[in-house]
Amino acid sequence: MNRYRDLLTTPGVARLISAQLTARLPSGMISLAYLIHVERLFDSYGLAGLVLAATSFGQAAAGPLTSRWMGRWGMRPVINLTLAVSIVSMAAIAFLAMPLWGYMVFGLIGGLATPPIQPAVRTIYPKMVTSKQLVPLFSLDASAQEIIWVMGPVITTVLAIQVSPPVAIIVAGVFLIVGGVWFVSSPELGSVRIPPNKGRIGRVLTKPPVLLATVTGFLLIGAAAAVEVAVVSVFGETGPQAGAVLALWAIASLIGGLSLGGVKIGPWALTVRMALVTVGMALAMGSTDFWWLVATLAIAGAGLAPALAVMFAIVSASVKFSETAESYGWVGSGQLIGAALGSAIAGFAIDGYGSIGGFATAFVFSLVGTLVALAFKRSHPDLRDRDPSPMPDTEPISVVRPAPPVA
């Protein structure tokens, strides 16, 4: 644990991690909050899933685009603009009475305005720590993300069920405002400038590690989102059991991420971690008993944060510094789309087959993710003896040679 203590005492690291996690907490809240809110309005998980699908489409388009904008106009202006639009769209969904297409439109607008905080912070990290500290920092960050992907739904579930879904949406908006303002006011955003990416948009996806991290991240977070919906459907809208199961799942993932943070990343790292998640998801289909779900999801959780940390590291080691923001934009979009579509597909599966349909959806997502990691193992860089920092941007330099002396 000394490595994490050293990281957190590095100037700015603890503050930046805390700020970005607060600002990104709504990413783990809003899909489930929209699902519960729209399902209550239209009495259908399937129709609620359409709103999530519209949101995910917006996120897919926004992630890489807004990340590139940060290289052109700066991080603060882009994040401030997207924060404002996001808050308006969330308030509209929470308080306006509309037909289904209206909720889909505002979901799309909110998705398009997803603040590019994840690509911003992952671009800044390599400039704050040494190369030896970078992999542990990614592990710490991935472990802390459990607050987003698991604790976020816990908060949403409690608020939406015990109070009301609009309150859950507005609380997510409050986190977005507080965290966003905190993040953009951090001095690191002024001291680190993202160089403009001169390549065409999407070219970073031709780099196999970036594509691998984007696809597996989509599938991993899709599985996690499906589990969240399934757990809520098991325990209904009364009692704290759903929140307790998800909280214990988060703790297991946190422990797994911190425990493996010092392990060197070899070419099998992503496959092994994804396989651990898949085993847990497969076992979760066996029963809806409270303690069975706690035990099986703990197995899955032990591989969740470590898998995310590997994805972040292989992207960092495979791109130029000017390409980092867009690369993480694609990875972040993949995760956000996975969260929305995992929830949506699980909703339809639960409508048709009950709660087990939701767990089966999670298993399929994670199994495909494991098979993708295995099939494209050659695209996975070996970082056991390699600096995971982004490659510096270089340009040809003209050299003027002095004329030879006259004899």
Side-chain angles (χ1 to χ4, degrees), residues 294-317:
V294 167
T296 57
L297 293 182
I299 296 172
L304 184 59
L308 290 170
V310 171
M311 295 174 202
F312 303 149
I314 64 175
V315 169
S316 176

Side-chain angles (χ1 to χ4, degrees), residues 202-216 270 311 314-315 317-319 327 331 372-373 375-381:
R203 191 177 70 173
V204 294
L205 290 176
T206 63
K207 298 179 183 292
V210 177
L211 184 59
L212 176 62
T214 301
V215 174
T216 53
L270 187 56
M311 295 174 202
I314 64 175
V315 169
S318 305
V319 298
S327 298
V331 174
V372 168
F376 295 95
K377 184 177 70 69
R378 291 185 178 181
S379 300
H380 190 305

Side-chain angles (χ1 to χ4, degrees), residues 69-112:
W69 286 354
M70 291 193 295
R72 179 177 299 178
W73 297 312
M75 287 184 273
R76 285 186 172 125
V78 174
I79 293 173
N80 285 333
L81 174 62
T82 52
L83 277 173
V85 177
S86 292
I87 292 300
V88 171
S89 69
M90 292 165 70
I93 290 177
F95 295 121
L96 295 182
M98 301 176 284
L100 180 66
W101 65 264
Y103 292 100
M104 293 176 66
V105 168
F106 278 105
L108 174 64
I109 293 171
L112 288 169

Side-chain angles (χ1 to χ4, degrees), residues 28-318:
M29 299 176 65
I30 208 65
S31 292
L32 191 55
Y34 285 178
L35 183 82
I36 296 173
H37 181 47
V38 180
E39 190 276 333
R40 285 192 177 182
L41 292 174
F42 295 96
D43 194 27
S44 170
Y45 280 105
L47 293 180
L50 294 177
V51 176
L52 300 187
T55 304
S56 70
F57 181 83
Q59 291 166 341
L65 184 61
T66 54
S67 299
R68 289 175 67 94
W69 286 354
M70 291 193 295
R72 179 177 299 178
W73 297 312
M75 287 184 273
R76 285 186 172 125
V78 174
I79 293 173
N80 285 333
L81 174 62
T82 52
L83 277 173
V85 177
S86 292
I87 292 300
V88 171
S89 69
M90 292 165 70
I93 290 177
F95 295 121
L96 295 182
M98 301 176 284
L100 180 66
W101 65 264
Y103 292 100
M104 293 176 66
V105 168
F106 278 105
L108 174 64
I109 293 171
L112 288 169
T114 301
I117 290 175
Q118 176 171 294
V121 74
R122 298 228 157 72
T123 301
I124 294 171
Y125 278 161
K127 301 298 182 181
M128 299 179 65
V129 298
T130 65
S131 59
K132 291 183 179 180
Q133 291 178 306
L134 192 54
V135 170
L137 178 55
F138 283 138
S139 296
L140 177 62
D141 184 82
S143 300
Q145 279 195 86
E146 295 317 301
I147 298 172
I148 298 172
W149 297 119
V150 182
M151 292 306 294
V154 171
I155 297 171
T156 301
T157 302
V158 172
L159 290 174
I161 292 174
Q162 303 300 327
V163 187
S164 74
V167 169
I169 296 171
I170 292 308
V171 169
V174 171
F175 277 116
L176 182 60
I177 294 172
V178 173
V181 171
W182 187 9
F183 183 76
V184 297
S185 65
S186 300
E188 288 77 16
L189 270 73
S191 61
V192 176
R193 181 180 178 277
I194 302 174
N197 186 351
K198 298 178 181 179
R200 68 181 186 277
I201 188 168
R203 191 177 70 173
V204 294
L205 290 176
T206 63
K207 298 179 183 292
V210 177
L211 184 59
L212 176 62
T214 301
V215 174
T216 53
F218 160 77
L219 293 164
L220 177 63
I221 300 304
V227 163
E228 290 157 7
V229 178
V231 169
V232 171
S233 72
V234 167
F235 297 104
E237 300 189 357
T238 59
Q241 295 96 327
V245 170
L246 296 177
L248 292 170
W249 182 25
I251 292 170
S253 184
L254 178 65
I255 293 172
L258 296 178
S259 299
L260 296 178
V263 176
K264 293 185 177 181
I265 296 175
W268 285 95
L270 187 56
T271 302
V272 170
R273 288 158 174 76
M274 288 295 298
L276 183 60
V277 175
T278 302
V279 169
M281 298 297 187
L283 293 173
M285 292 189 294
S287 172
T288 56
D289 175 74
F290 175 84
W291 289 111
W292 177 262
L293 291 177
V294 167
T296 57
L297 293 182
I299 296 172
L304 184 59
L308 290 170
V310 171
M311 295 174 202
F312 303 149
I314 64 175
V315 169
S316 176
S318 305

